[in-house]
Amino acid sequence: MKIAFFEVEDWEEEYLKKKLNGHVLKFSNEKLSLENAPQIKDFDAVSVFIYSKIDEQIIREIPNLKLITTRSTGFDHIDIEKCKKQGITICNVPSYGENTVAEHTFALILSLSRHMCKACIRRFEQDFSIEGLEGFDLKGKTIGVIGTGQIGLHVIRIAKGFGMNVVAYDVRQNKLLSEVLGFEYATLEDLLARSDVITLHVPYMKATHHLMNKDTFKLVKRGAILINTARGSIVDTEALIEALDNKILAGAGLDVFEGEEVIKEEKQLLYDPKNLEVLNNLVKDHILLSKDNVVFTPHIAFYSKEALERILETTVENVVAFVSGKPQNVV
Ligand code: NAI
């Protein structure tokens, strides 16, 4: 097979060359785009990370495409309907880092509960005062976990270790696990009203677009903190800014936010007047990120050495399974 890998680092290239010996491989550290798609016109498979948006136009550029294997759990960057129509198989990496993302979730929670970022910045200003750095205990507090899949369940396990009470909301409930792990399911409204920490672990799709919006923020317990390691567009940025300004939320810990994919390339946007909506979102993002009660990491919840190795292992397995006629991890 001819397989093109995008968004790969050098060490990943070395690993893939060894493991997929016998295939024609092409590597690029760029994302797959309309500009570089013509270079892989005759390729059978592509492997991408989440910044390559695979839409109808890109699919048209690669007419032989049979397999897309994304090196991520989320697959909202791929036009699934179009792929279905074209008979393109999409595989993902369903689990590689539930512990990795869950650990990062707690890194964000603790950054807010113990003012870690504020305290670190003060050091650089030779400010050793403790004013404004009083934190709060997690023990005895209630955490509301929205989405009890692989990551959500691991968050629950860690939360239990901290002595937190856990309420959860999911469209599919796992009663057995709720008994074993000692948490209770609630409605979304009830969860928002009771939780001191709200953490999002649902996939991004139509049903979860702006799940946290002006109306749902009204239901949030005053002084709660919100953590988002899932996808940016699950939270309406404008409503989030308002909730922070109105002190409904005491803080937010964000590994993802709306428009994160363009913020890295914002300079280019300035020169294109078509991008008014994107620029509007960017302005909101900058307002959000300038707040001192917002802790931000640049979509790195998955980014640990061990998780990256597991992602590559599964990606290789996905390719091998597809070639053998028994595709696995098909989304
Ligand atoms: P999962 O598929 O195991 O769990 C998702 C859960 O959400 C399921 O239990 C499902 O029933 C529930 N759900 C789906 N739609 C819902 C709705 N409308 N309302 C309530 N619950 C709903 O997924 P997993 O592995 O736990 O990952 C969750 C998300 O985390 C991924 O979709 C991905 O977007 C994000 N993620 C972020 C990473 C990062 O680096 N920041 C890394 C990996 C995943």
Side-chain angles (χ1 to χ4, degrees):
M1 268 218 309
K2 289 180 114 176
I3 315 165
F5 288 86
F6 291 87
E7 305 176 74
V8 277
E9 293 176 9
D10 291 350
W11 73 269
E12 292 175 303
E13 185 174 330
E14 290 312 307
Y15 177 95
L16 291 163
K17 273 182 187 160
K18 263 188 225 145
K19 298 282 175 176
L20 292 172
N21 193 0
H23 295 281
V24 176
L25 307 178
K26 185 177 167 65
F27 299 95
S28 168
N29 52 17
E30 289 173 10
K31 52 190 183 185
L32 172 57
S33 66
L34 271 180
E35 281 74 51
N36 56 26
Q39 295 165 18
I40 55 157
K41 254 189 173 359
D42 58 338
F43 273 62
D44 311 289
V46 296
S47 173
V48 294
F49 187 54
I50 55 166
Y51 297 110
S52 297
K53 298 270 169 262
I54 306 191
D55 57 13
E56 193 172 347
Q57 275 179 300
I58 298 234
I59 292 168
R60 218 180 294 134
E61 288 290 330
I62 318 167
N64 289 345
L65 194 59
K66 296 174 197 73
L67 170 70
I68 299 171
T69 177
T70 182
R71 300 191 305 283
S72 59
T73 303
F75 41 83
D76 46 285
H77 51 297
I78 302 168
D79 185 338
I80 297 189
E81 286 309 313
K82 187 68 198 165
C83 288
K84 216 183 200 176
K85 274 191 207 143
Q86 301 283 118
I88 299 167
T89 302
I90 306 170
C91 302
N92 74 340
V93 183
S95 76
Y96 63 87
E98 56 269 26
N99 68 297
T100 312
V101 179
E103 285 171 24
H104 195 82
T105 300
F106 271 84
L108 292 171
I109 295 172
L110 289 164
S111 296
L112 287 164
S113 70
R114 306 314 297 260
H115 301 293
M116 298 302 277
C117 292
K118 267 193 221 167
C120 287
I121 290 167
R122 282 190 189 185
R123 178 189 55 159
F124 293 114
E125 293 159 355
Q126 298 294 309
D127 176 356
F128 300 104
S129 68
I130 63 168
E131 219 179 294
L133 296 183
E134 184 188 271
F136 65 86
D137 286 355
L138 295 184
K139 185 172 178 227
K141 296 290 184 318
T142 298
I143 185 169
V145 178
I146 301 182
T148 53
Q150 313 237 32
I151 297 169
L153 285 173
H154 209 89
V155 165
I156 292 172
R157 288 191 189 96
I158 300 177
K160 287 304 215 178
F162 274 97
M164 300 183 84
N165 309 311
V166 182
V167 281
Y169 167 69
D170 197 301
V171 283
R172 276 183 301 158
Q173 302 192 351
N174 190 330
K175 294 272 185 232
L176 179 68
L177 270 179
S178 78
E179 273 167 38
V180 173
L181 295 177
F183 69 92
E184 71 176 286
Y185 279 105
T187 60
L188 179 63
E189 292 75 14
D190 193 24
L191 177 149
L192 296 177
R194 288 166 59 191
S195 303
D196 302 291
V197 178
I198 299 161
T199 183
L200 302 170
H201 302 289
V202 286
Y204 177 67
M205 49 173 115
K206 247 191 195 154
T208 57
H209 176 78
H210 287 185
L211 182 80
M212 292 308 298
N213 55 46
K214 286 193 184 186
D215 291 330
T216 43
F217 274 120
K218 281 187 194 139
L219 306 173
V220 166
K221 179 176 176 180
R222 210 169 175 77
I225 61 173
L226 175 76
I227 308 296
N228 189 5
T229 59
R231 282 292 182 268
S233 300
I234 296 169
V235 179
D236 176 352
T237 311
E238 204 171 311
L240 172 59
I241 293 171
E242 211 176 285
L244 288 160
D245 285 345
N246 296 342
K247 309 251 182 309
I248 289 174
L249 286 179
L254 308 174
D255 185 52
V256 289
F257 57 87
E258 284 187 295
E260 65 183 80
E261 60 284 1
V262 289
I263 208 159
K264 291 181 186 160
E265 296 158 19
E266 59 193 46
K267 255 194 188 153
Q268 288 162 28
L269 291 169
L270 285 177
Y271 307 112
D272 188 347
K274 280 188 302 209
N275 289 319
L276 271 180
E277 196 191 324
V278 180
L279 281 171
N280 187 20
N281 274 335
L282 272 177
V283 172
K284 286 184 213 157
D285 288 341
H286 282 293
I287 294 172
L288 188 63
L289 299 184
S290 65
K291 292 184 179 297
D292 73 351
N293 56 351
V294 173
V295 174
F296 159 74
T297 52
H299 205 140
I300 54 166
F302 72 98
Y303 197 51
S304 76
K305 184 174 182 291
E306 293 80 2
L308 291 177
E309 284 167 2
R310 285 191 292 266
I311 289 174
L312 281 197
E313 269 166 36
T314 307
T315 301
V316 168
E317 285 164 16
N318 285 351
V319 170
V320 172
F322 181 81
V323 171
S324 74
K326 288 184 192 145
Q328 63 167 26
N329 298 325
V330 175
V331 298

